[in-house]
Amino acid sequence: TRFNYILKMNKEYIQACKNQDPRSQKAVFLHFAPKMMTICRRYVYSDENAKDVLQEAFLKLFKNIDLYDEQKSNFESWIRMIVVQEAITYWRKYIKKSNFVEEDLVHLQIENPIIEAQLDEENILELIKSLPDSTRIVFNLYVFEGMTHQEISQTLHIGESTSRSQLTRARKQIQEAILIQNRSENYAKVRI
């Protein structure tokens, strides 16, 4: 079947990459880079910096490919983990921890309005990129990486309550942006 063929090809490419074969490394990069770039763009505001994170992640991938264990995870998940870790490293290096503001969650209660909006991937990415750095990284780790607040707390060296408040803030800002976008679209439709 096609799945078995792809799995076999992955194993061959992985082994070739372990042997430092440049053509296999290029093939792996070309295959996985578009997906991984999307991840980088969610964490890092500028596309130029996202490209730097992607490049560093693939350099680490090829340098440490002998550590990959197919019994523990599939290859794409392993690459994704490296990319996310590299994005967090970038964030720690260039973003100040003071961006995290401990807030009382009582003041951030959000009504969960039903929003009927048709957003494509690029719109969603722009909404995420518009979040403040500290809020964006918590949102990404929680929503896209499936981390708990405890795991986020340990990864970013922040309190669990800070993680929760940043996630709440992110959701609120995204909801408000969608509402504003919907209002302006509806207004434009009425005026036409």
Side-chain angles (χ1 to χ4, degrees):
T1 65
R2 185 172 187 266
F3 178 76
N4 288 337
Y5 175 75
I6 291 170
L7 187 62
K8 181 180 178 209
M9 289 303 294
N10 275 347
K11 286 182 180 181
E12 289 174 8
Y13 277 112
I14 293 167
Q15 188 55 50
C17 288
K18 286 181 178 183
N19 295 331
Q20 303 298 316
D21 177 50
R23 285 189 292 178
S24 296
Q25 290 174 335
K26 182 177 180 179
V28 166
F29 177 82
L30 292 174
H31 180 75
F32 290 106
K35 267 188 194 177
M36 298 305 133
M37 183 61 176
T38 300
I39 294 168
C40 292
R41 290 178 67 207
R42 280 199 325 259
Y43 283 91
V44 181
Y45 182 73
S46 95
D47 284 348
E48 200 58 41
N49 291 339
K51 289 176 186 175
D52 291 344
V53 169
L54 182 70
Q55 180 179 348
E56 287 299 317
F58 272 93
L59 287 173
K60 283 186 180 177
L61 164 92
F62 294 128
K63 181 180 179 184
N64 297 301
I65 198 160
D66 286 328
L67 299 175
Y68 170 66
D69 182 356
E70 67 182 62
Q71 303 299 320
K72 292 183 180 178
S73 68
N74 71 42
F75 193 55
E76 184 172 339
S77 296
W78 189 70
I79 295 172
R80 181 186 180 101
M81 180 192 68
I82 292 170
V83 169
V84 169
Q85 288 300 318
E86 190 58 36
I88 291 170
T89 300
Y90 170 86
W91 180 82
R92 282 188 183 134
K93 188 174 180 180
Y94 295 105
I95 309 298
K96 295 181 180 177
K97 270 191 168 183
S98 61
N99 286 339
F100 282 108
V101 177
E102 191 80 41
E103 291 189 13
D104 183 0
L105 289 174
V106 175
H107 300 297
L108 287 175
Q109 295 302 318
I110 302 170
E111 292 181 21
N112 210 357
I114 297 173
I115 300 168
E116 292 185 21
Q118 293 192 0
L119 299 173
D120 60 19
E121 185 177 329
E122 203 57 39
N123 289 127
I124 293 169
L125 181 61
E126 288 306 312
L127 287 174
I128 293 169
K129 286 172 74 172
S130 72
L131 296 171
D133 293 322
S134 57
T135 305
R136 184 177 64 245
I137 196 164
V138 170
F139 181 82
N140 281 319
L141 292 174
Y142 187 86
V143 173
F144 294 105
E145 307 310 325
M147 293 176 83
T148 65
H149 289 295
Q150 181 181 11
E151 292 168 328
I152 294 169
S153 169
Q154 292 168 352
T155 301
L156 300 179
H157 308 289
I158 60 173
E160 285 184 50
S161 62
T162 302
S163 176
R164 285 187 190 90
S165 67
Q166 293 296 324
L167 178 64
T168 302
R169 175 183 285 149
R171 286 179 171 161
K172 181 179 179 182
Q173 288 177 315
I174 289 172
Q175 288 174 349
E176 288 173 354
I178 291 171
L179 286 173
I180 290 168
Q181 183 177 355
N182 281 345
R183 285 185 192 136
S184 65
E185 286 175 5
N186 290 334
Y187 180 71
K189 289 177 187 175
V190 171
R191 293 187 68 198
I192 292 177

